[in-house]
Amino acid sequence: MREALGEAPYEAAVARGLSFELDEALDYALGTDASPQPDTKQDEPSPLTTRERQVAALVAQGKSNKQIAAELVLSPRTVEGHVEHILTKLGFASRANIAAWAAQQGS
């Protein structure tokens, strides 16, 4: 699967899967998911700006900086800056960490 999806989308999918409780995973797998998304931190203010949260959500989808830039009508360099700010603010070292965080947030 890692080879078929690519590294970033695979890591994002694994992170999302790991965020499910057993019952939620079973509901999701069986297509009977009537429960809300896994616990999110929506009650707590995000350390990220709205734009950074948008970028984080797109990183979680496995998109490259160039693809994110095209979707948000930004320059790739601006997206690169947003990704660096996200990594710094959240204390992360990789895009996979951003993807896991975004999945946990329900992005």
Side-chain angles (χ1 to χ4, degrees):
M1 290 307 296
R2 184 185 307 259
E3 190 174 307
L5 290 174
E7 190 65 28
Y10 174 82
E11 291 294 331
V14 167
R16 181 164 186 242
L18 291 174
S19 71
F20 285 126
E21 296 292 326
L22 178 60
D23 289 337
E24 293 169 325
L26 290 171
D27 287 341
Y28 181 80
L30 296 172
T32 59
D33 186 17
S35 62
Q37 289 291 322
D39 291 340
T40 63
K41 306 280 186 203
Q42 292 176 355
D43 295 337
E44 298 176 18
S46 174
L48 305 181
T49 65
T50 300
R51 181 61 89 185
E52 290 167 345
R53 287 192 307 271
Q54 290 172 332
V55 170
L58 294 171
V59 166
Q61 292 175 18
K63 295 189 178 192
S64 69
N65 287 355
K66 186 175 180 180
Q67 291 169 321
I68 294 169
E71 186 163 332
L72 297 179
V73 192
L74 300 170
S75 75
R77 176 63 189 107
T78 299
V79 173
E80 184 180 324
H82 285 311
V83 171
E84 288 300 319
H85 289 137
I86 293 166
L87 291 169
T88 300
K89 285 182 177 181
L90 299 177
F92 294 154
S94 73
R95 293 172 78 93
N97 296 131
I98 295 172
W101 179 87
Q104 183 180 21
Q105 299 303 306
S107 297

